[in-house]
Amino acid sequence: MGKKLQFLIPHYKEKQEVISNLLDSIKLQQQVNMDDIGCIIVDDGPDSIHLEDSFLKSYPFEIIYKQAPKGGVSATRNACFDEATSDYVMFCDADDMFMNSCGLYILFREIENNEFDLLISTFVEETRDFNTMKPIFVNHDIDFTFVHGKVLRREFLKNKKIRWNPNLTIHEDSYFNMLAMRCAKEVKHCQTPFYLWKWRDESVCRHDPKYMLKTYNNMIESNTALVNELKKRGMVDAACELATQMTFDSYYTMNKKEWLDQENQEYRKSTERRFSEYYREFKVLVDLIGEDKRNQIIVGIKNRMFGEGVMLEKITFDDWIRHISEM
């Protein structure tokens, strides 16, 4: 019999003491037959830090360790998937871990209860209070974008030809997860957190306060790739919805304080220039969406943005779109 679950782990510069947190947390799982699980670790190119055979063989489950040509995180995740043979797969970052010893018990009960194409679970993020640098643990209730806490049926991914886009290395998980969610027939939500997005000082996306200012263009690139993939698959309604979401997300994002601050205007100009290209490409899709669906999208984004500090729009949507269109 094959394995029930394999953990697919792209690896680059994470030292053994870093990835051991993840592997140790798997080793400690209770009520799990270790023959049912395995890990596939793939190095992203020859300049990756090498993991010692004695270290990998010290674990009570199978670990397949390979090296792929240098290609970035998305290409390396594809290389992991190409080695997989299990019923289900879970993409894990090398610096994360399971947050308790019953995580796989919970997950396997979800599988036994009802098979699924995609399971989206609540997960916990370890972050910092940037004034005191004390740890803070934040629940991500049902998140559709981050790679963390997602489990997928391998045959579903193969049959639907869902792969990581090798051209995306920042905000790449939103492309993959949203494509999987749109294509899945059986989507399951697990409200019990079992996965920890662990803090690491070397992680740029966690400790750079201007990370989103610097990478919002990458989010637009990821969404562009996703909308075009949905169009290619004939999923026009889904493409319209995603293009509309990106349009209003961009509008409300530009009304956040950090985007209005004078010191960040170069980031704003760069992002608006990139969005103007996006809007010209997909305006026809945004115009196609029905009014009820459009209003539903707007309400959802406004509620989220209110929680992120947007109290009042500084410019109307029509005026902003006019400004974008003239760029």
Side-chain angles (χ1 to χ4, degrees):
M1 292 182 64
K3 296 188 181 301
K4 291 182 180 179
L5 176 67
Q6 286 172 308
F7 307 100
L8 310 185
I9 309 166
H11 175 253
Y12 184 46
K13 295 293 188 181
E14 297 87 0
K15 296 179 180 179
Q16 288 184 179
E17 56 263 35
V18 173
I19 197 171
S20 65
N21 290 318
L22 173 59
L23 300 179
D24 287 349
S25 72
I26 296 172
K27 180 177 70 175
L28 294 173
Q29 294 299 303
Q30 301 298 301
Q31 298 294 309
V32 174
N33 184 341
M34 291 294 161
D35 291 334
D36 288 336
I37 63 175
C39 291
I40 299 173
I41 303 172
V42 175
D43 284 344
D44 181 15
D47 59 335
S48 298
I49 291 177
H50 183 72
L51 302 175
E52 298 294 334
D53 288 345
S54 58
F55 166 72
L56 298 174
K57 289 178 179 177
S58 68
Y59 289 94
F61 44 83
E62 179 185 61
I63 297 179
I64 298 171
Y65 183 39
K66 301 278 186 175
Q67 184 183 97
K70 180 65 179 173
V73 65
S74 292
T76 307
R77 284 179 177 142
N78 285 335
C80 289
F81 182 73
D82 291 339
E83 296 289 333
T85 58
S86 55
D87 296 334
Y88 289 88
V89 295
M90 185 174 186
F91 292 95
C92 301
D93 288 341
D95 54 357
D96 292 340
M97 62 189 296
F98 282 84
M99 60 176 293
N100 60 59
S101 61
C102 297
L104 290 188
Y105 174 76
I106 294 167
L107 175 54
F108 284 156
R109 288 303 298 266
E110 293 283 3
I111 292 173
E112 292 162 6
N113 181 45
N114 187 22
E115 289 188 348
F116 51 81
D117 294 328
L118 168 63
L119 180 138
I120 302 171
S121 76
T122 298
F123 66 91
V124 175
E125 175 188 1
E126 178 188 2
T127 184
R128 292 290 184 269
D129 180 324
F130 286 104
N131 293 319
T132 65
M133 292 309 294
K134 291 183 178 180
I136 299 173
F137 294 91
V138 179
N139 268 28
H140 287 261
D141 286 331
I142 294 296
D143 165 81
F144 298 105
T145 54
F146 291 117
V147 67
H148 317 292
K150 313 293 188 298
V151 182
L152 303 109
R153 191 166 60 86
R154 186 176 63 88
E155 283 299 317
F156 155 69
L157 294 177
K158 284 183 62 179
N159 292 340
K160 295 295 185 179
K161 296 181 172 58
I162 298 172
R163 295 177 67 81
W164 295 83
N165 187 318
N167 297 319
L168 303 174
T169 56
I170 300 175
H171 301 302
E172 76 290 342
D173 41 0
S174 63
Y175 169 91
F176 180 85
N177 290 325
M178 293 299 292
L179 180 58
M181 189 181 71
R182 293 288 175 171
C183 293
K185 289 186 176 180
E186 299 294 336
V187 178
K188 198 169 191 180
H189 299 98
C190 177
Q191 299 286 351
T192 306
F194 54 79
Y195 193 83
L196 176 66
W197 181 12
K198 197 171 180 294
W199 173 271
R200 191 157 66 99
D201 290 337
E202 295 81 3
S203 177
V204 176
C205 73
R206 309 292 291 286
H207 60 70
D208 184 349
K210 295 193 177 184
Y211 179 76
M212 286 305 299
L213 290 162
K214 296 174 180 178
T215 66
Y216 198 87
N217 280 352
N218 299 98
M219 187 178 297
I220 297 174
E221 294 292 342
S222 179
N223 188 275
T224 298
L226 177 57
V227 172
N228 281 324
E229 180 65 22
L230 293 170
K231 286 171 58 183
K232 187 173 74 174
R233 291 170 180 254
M235 302 170 67
V236 177
D237 288 346
C240 291
E241 186 174 336
L242 266 293
T244 304
Q245 287 175 349
M246 186 77 252
T247 296
F248 282 95
D249 188 280
S250 299
Y251 164 63
Y252 284 105
T253 294
M254 292 301 104
N255 280 282
K256 288 184 174 181
K257 181 181 182 303
E258 60 266 30
W259 290 91
L260 295 168
D261 287 348
Q262 191 60 39
E263 67 180 82
N264 296 324
Q265 288 311 291
E266 285 305 312
Y267 295 122
R268 183 187 182 100
K269 290 176 184 177
S270 172
T271 300
E272 288 186 330
R273 282 194 296 269
R274 177 61 188 90
F275 178 77
S276 70
E277 298 171 5
Y278 178 94
Y279 191 68
R280 279 193 292 272
E281 183 175 359
F282 296 131
K283 181 179 184 301
V284 63
L285 297 179
V286 177
D287 290 343
L288 276 175
I289 201 161
E291 184 177 355
D292 287 347
K293 189 63 180 179
R294 176 189 174 100
N295 290 336
Q296 181 182 341
I297 290 170
I298 293 171
V299 169
I301 293 174
K302 283 187 73 171
N303 288 341
R304 173 166 59 83
M305 291 294 180
F306 181 78
E308 296 175 6
V310 179
M311 305 298 292
L312 184 68
E313 299 93 294
K314 300 295 184 181
I315 183 173
T316 68
F317 176 77
D318 289 341
D319 285 344
W320 184 69
I321 286 295
R322 191 176 303 112
H323 160 69
I324 290 296
S325 301
E326 291 171 354
M327 294 186 77

